[in-house]
Structure formats: structure tokens, C-alpha cells
Amino acid sequence: DTPRPLAGKRAIVTSGPTHEPIDPVRYIANRSSGRQGHAIAAALAALGADVTLVSGPVSIPDPAGVKVIHVERAAEMLEAVLGALPADLAVMVAAVADWRVAAESARKIKKKPGDKAPTLAMTENPDILKTVGHHAARPKLIIGFAAETHDILANARTKLDAKGADFIVANDVSPETGIMGGTRNSVKIVSRDGIDEWPEMDKEAVAARLAAFAAERLAP
Ligand code: C5P
């Protein structure tokens, strides 16, 4: 029998991008595939956790043995995450859009001859990790991600406090790494006590190791 150290523990995982509508046919998105977040949800379930995965629009299948809530925009992701509380553990992997279009058009924005190109005014989205990190029902263990192209470690350290997270998994998503949308990942686990650099491995292997890491920290 495989050990199930997370049996009886509730986990929330966010994964994938968000789509922020411009009008009924257009949206703003990003390159997140959901591979890393989905793999983490599956790995936590494999260790016995009761997992709710809140996923933005992705083209990969729902992981087996996990409750999946499909959402489109950040506001819906926040609502689904808050609805899944209380939990022992939250792993926020989703690449949530920082901004959405301030005034979403109810009708398709039409191009008319002679018109200037439209200007899209943006407004800030809610920060889901930060909301959960400062919530009255804050999970005991919160792991966030930091996808950065520069100043990775400095940004991750700042994020720990700003977001109320226990750990930030930092990765370099510069285009030349092939990480965003790819199958492999190279991560650094940043906590208030220091940094642990993991070798490059498949996203499934990162997920398994992160699930074991979480189980250790939630052990009585
Ligand atoms: O600030 P930044 O977007 O780099 O933070 C990344 C971390 O915060 C990730 O864990 C991501 O899932 C989470 N996040 C969030 N809601 C947002 C923005 C980021 O949960 N609106």
C-alpha cells in the first residue's frame, strides 16, 4: 500500500490561466497550460488529500480523483477558492491575470471604416493568493508560485510577506527556458529561512516532490 500522509486533509489548488473578456468574442489571456497545477492537484490526491482544483481554461484533461471547478476569469476563480475554504493547504499555481478590461463590452466591438483603433482601459484584478493568505480561515500551509523573467529570487522574497504565503515556488519563465507551456520545470523553493534549488525535472516530478514537501510540513 502507498502511504497516504495527506488522508483527511483538504487542499485547494489553482491552475491554468484566466481569460479576461474584452467583449463576447475576445479576451486577454496568457501562456499557462495548467500542466504544473494539475500535476500538483493529482500528486496531492495521490497522497490521500481531498483536493479541490480550481482551473482556468486549459486544454488538458481533469486529473482523476480530484474535484474540479472550471472558471474563466479571476473574479470567478476567487469566488470558487473562497467557496472551497476551509482547507489545510492551498497551492496557488494559476497564472491569474493581474488586470482585466475595465468596461467589458456587452456587444462585439465593431470595426467601422475610418474609426481609430480602440483603447482598452484596464483595472486591477483581485489577488487570490493574497486574499487567502490574509483570510480569517487561512489554510495552515500556503504555497504560492512566482513566474518571473527577471530578479526571480528578490521578487519571490517580497512576495512571501506581501501575499501571506509560507513558501513561494519561483521559476524563470523567460521564453528561452521553455517552461511556460512546456513539460519540464526548474524551481527554487523560497521561504523566510532560505532557498532550496531543485534540479530541472518533469512537471509531474516537481508535483510529486512538492506534495511530499507539503505532507511533511502538515505532519503533526
Ligand atoms: O504577483 P504574482 O502574480 O507574481 O504572484 C504569483 C502568485 O500569486 C501565484 O501563486 C499566483 O497564483 C498568485 N496570484 C493570485 N491572484 C492574482 C495574482 C497572482 O492568486 N491576481
Side-chain angles (χ1 to χ4, degrees), residues 9-33:
K9 303 284 189 203
R10 287 170 52 90
I12 302 172
V13 180
T14 66
S15 184
T18 62
H19 285 184
E20 307 297 334
I22 297 169
D23 67 18
V25 300
R26 303 182 178 97
Y27 57 82
I28 292 170
N30 61 67
R31 296 187 193 282
S32 170
S33 65

Side-chain angles (χ1 to χ4, degrees), residues 146 148-157 170-174 188 190:
E148 306 279 359
T149 56
H150 55 274
D151 298 333
I152 297 170
L153 292 178
N155 285 331
R157 282 223 181 78
N171 56 4
D172 186 347
V173 293
S174 302
K188 298 173 180 65
V190 183

Side-chain angles (χ1 to χ4, degrees), residues 92-94 96-98 126-129 144-145 148 159 163:
M92 314 303 257
V93 196
V96 183
D98 291 316
D127 190 315
I128 301 165
L129 171 54
F145 270 64
E148 306 279 359
K159 230 158 263 187
K163 307 239 186 190

Side-chain angles (χ1 to χ4, degrees), residues 37-218:
H38 280 51
I40 289 167
L44 292 169
L47 295 188
D50 171 359
V51 182
T52 300
L53 170 64
V54 183
S55 175
V58 295
S59 59
I60 57 173
D62 289 354
V66 164
K67 179 186 174 196
V68 186
I69 303 175
H70 293 276
V71 299
E72 189 175 334
R73 44 183 105 193
E76 294 163 358
M77 188 172 273
L78 174 64
E79 197 186 329
V81 165
L82 294 179
L85 288 173
D88 303 283
L89 162 69
V91 190
M92 314 303 257
V93 196
V96 183
D98 291 316
W99 305 281
R100 67 178 181 278
V101 176
E104 176 190 343
S105 174
R107 298 168 139 218
K108 185 183 171 194
I109 303 167
K110 299 292 284 182
K111 185 171 74 173
K112 294 187 213 83
D115 271 8
K116 283 189 306 183
T119 300
L120 291 177
M122 309 285 282
T123 189
E124 209 168 309
N125 262 338
D127 190 315
I128 301 165
L129 171 54
K130 190 174 179 177
T131 305
V132 170
H134 295 95
H135 199 276
R138 182 193 189 279
K140 188 175 166 207
L141 178 62
I142 300 185
I143 302 175
F145 270 64
E148 306 279 359
T149 56
H150 55 274
D151 298 333
I152 297 170
L153 292 178
N155 285 331
R157 282 223 181 78
T158 310
K159 230 158 263 187
L160 277 174
D161 290 325
K163 307 239 186 190
D166 301 297
F167 295 93
I168 292 286
V169 179
N171 56 4
D172 186 347
V173 293
S174 302
E176 63 273 17
T177 65
I179 285 175
M180 201 146 192
T183 61
R184 293 178 69 78
N185 206 352
S186 164
V187 302
K188 298 173 180 65
I189 313 296
V190 183
S191 73
R192 289 176 184 80
D193 303 328
I195 297 161
D196 193 9
E197 292 201 29
W198 292 2
E200 189 193 305
M201 52 190 128
D202 283 346
K203 288 182 176 175
E204 285 71 22
V206 170
R209 191 158 161 177
L210 196 66
F213 177 90
E216 262 172 48
R217 264 134 205 102
L218 285 175

